[in-house]
């Protein structure tokens, strides 16, 4: 009887569980003040939230568009990481480029 009740409770809990919506790249770009060039293609978007919020976006981008991404997003010339105020939040931003693969990490503290 106890086993049956335990199984029923697990089934009930499993039916009530919902998966969170997948993070949208547009939300990440807005969060970090990122201006995405038209030639880019998003491969992956991650979002974590605890005390702070963090987005990671991995994309492919033609090499000639990387300076457009940096300039359009307000990075100083030659700078791949910075911090700035975006919509009233202090956001730390880091860009890593490996060939045509670009990783954007943006977080608050």
């Amino acid at each position: 009887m106890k086993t049956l009740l335990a199984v029923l409770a697990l089934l009930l809990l499993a039916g009530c569980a919902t998966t969170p919506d997948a993070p949208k790249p547009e939300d990440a770009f807005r969060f970090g003040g990122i201006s995405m060039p038209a030639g880019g293609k998003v491969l992956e978007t991650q979002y974590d939230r605890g005390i702070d919020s963090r987005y990671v976006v991995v994309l492919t981008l033609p090499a000639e568009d990387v300076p457009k991404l940096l300039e359009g997003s307000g990075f100083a010339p030659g700078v791949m990481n910075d911090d700035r105020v975006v919509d009233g939040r202090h956001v730390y931003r880091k860009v890593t480029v490996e060939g045509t693969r670009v990783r954007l990490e943006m977080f608050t503290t």
Side-chain angles (χ1 to χ4, degrees):
M1 184 66 171
K2 287 182 183 179
T3 305
L4 178 60
L5 289 175
V7 169
L8 289 174
L10 284 173
L11 289 173
L12 179 62
L13 289 174
C16 294
T18 60
T19 57
D21 292 334
K24 295 177 179 64
E26 299 80 18
D27 294 338
F29 296 148
R30 192 170 26 262
F31 174 86
I34 302 296
S35 178
M36 174 73 160
K41 178 181 176 189
V42 174
L43 302 175
E44 177 183 359
T45 305
Q46 300 172 11
Y47 175 70
D48 313 318
R49 183 162 184 212
I51 294 173
D52 304 322
S53 296
R54 180 178 76 109
Y55 279 96
V56 176
V57 180
V58 179
L59 51 108
T60 59
L61 190 64
E64 63 270 12
D65 283 350
V66 172
K68 293 176 189 174
L69 173 105
L70 295 172
E71 183 180 322
S73 301
F75 285 88
V79 174
M80 300 293 279
N81 55 34
D82 71 2
D83 58 292
R84 66 184 303 134
V85 176
V86 179
D87 293 333
R89 293 182 303 274
H90 199 110
V91 179
Y92 293 88
R93 310 179 310 166
K94 180 178 179 182
V95 180
T96 307
V97 180
E98 294 177 3
T100 60
R101 189 176 173 104
V102 177
R103 182 178 190 271
L104 303 166
E105 183 174 4
M106 302 155 290
F107 59 94
T108 60
T109 66

